[in-house]
Amino acid sequence: MNLILFGPPGAGKGTQAEILSNRFSIPTISTGNMIREAIKNGTELGKMAKSIIDGGNLLADDIVVAMIKERLAQPDCKNGFILDGFPRTIAQAQALADMGVTIDAAVEISLADEDIVARMSGRRTCPGCGNSYHLKHRRPVVGNLCDKCGSELVIREDDKAETVLERLRVYHERTAPLSEYYEKQGLRRVVQGQEELADTTALMMKAVEDLA
């Protein structure tokens, strides 16, 4: 199966992509990881990307799509793949289609903005050992201290409510229109994000079971 996973920040795309990858033995392709790998391997596209990034600029859509096409040509993608974090805009989706990349389904993980804010702003991280906690789902045993090393937990800049709200604004402006784009093509499938990971996973498996 050739899948796209999209949805708002904090909806659990990366986690579900990893579960699908393990279940169906197909690779997850994250654009960020892919760009870093291309640069590390010194491919032509990697060299081009490095010069652009080193210059403080963002990669143009056609470069990112070309890198994805190059990645999808590798043997491990023969039986399918999961695109996590791409496309982010309709222009990117159209570029992907123009390059002949076939998609079986675009799965949208849907979650209300207020649930996203509560989920992400409740996260806490240990600056000492990197352990992660959540004020609702995985509280530390003692106060605001890490169970493992005793360091005081902090909230990452990306998880602060004002940062999350800005990321959501950008998502609704740039990425949310993919819902209608893929709906018109008959490719959109919706998974309603649940409070429990296992419940979201069960819905995800049901959404893609006919593609396996």
Side-chain angles (χ1 to χ4, degrees), residues 8-9 113 116-117 163-173:
D113 284 5
I116 292 286
V117 173
T163 306
V164 175
L165 287 170
E166 174 59 18
R167 292 176 67 191
L168 284 167
R169 184 194 68 77
V170 173
Y171 172 80
H172 288 303
E173 180 181 298

Side-chain angles (χ1 to χ4, degrees), residues 118-148:
R119 179 181 290 191
M120 297 183 73
S121 61
R123 293 174 178 172
R124 295 294 184 271
T125 303
C126 174
C129 65
N131 264 13
S132 296
Y133 298 86
H134 195 280
L135 296 184
K136 182 176 181 181
H137 305 295
R138 188 171 181 250
R139 298 180 62 88
V141 175
V142 180
N144 192 45
L145 303 178
C146 176
D147 297 345
K148 185 176 179 180

Side-chain angles (χ1 to χ4, degrees), residues 2-5 103-107 182 186-189 207-208 211:
N2 298 344
L3 296 178
I4 288 172
L5 289 191
I103 298 298
D104 295 317
V107 183
Y182 284 118
L187 295 175
R188 176 175 173 252
R189 302 183 181 197
V208 303
L211 301 174

Side-chain angles (χ1 to χ4, degrees), residues 4 9 20 27 29 34 45 96 98 110 119 126-127 144 148-149 154 165 178 202 208 211:
I4 288 172
L20 288 169
I29 298 170
M34 182 192 58
L45 283 170
L96 194 64
D98 290 345
S110 179
R119 179 181 290 191
C126 174
N144 192 45
K148 185 176 179 180
C149 70
V154 299
L165 287 170
L178 288 174
V208 303
L211 301 174

Side-chain angles (χ1 to χ4, degrees), residues 37-56:
E37 184 178 346
I39 292 173
K40 179 183 176 182
N41 293 337
T43 68
E44 287 304 313
L45 283 170
K47 292 175 184 175
M48 186 185 304
K50 186 177 188 303
S51 66
I52 293 170
I53 292 171
D54 287 350

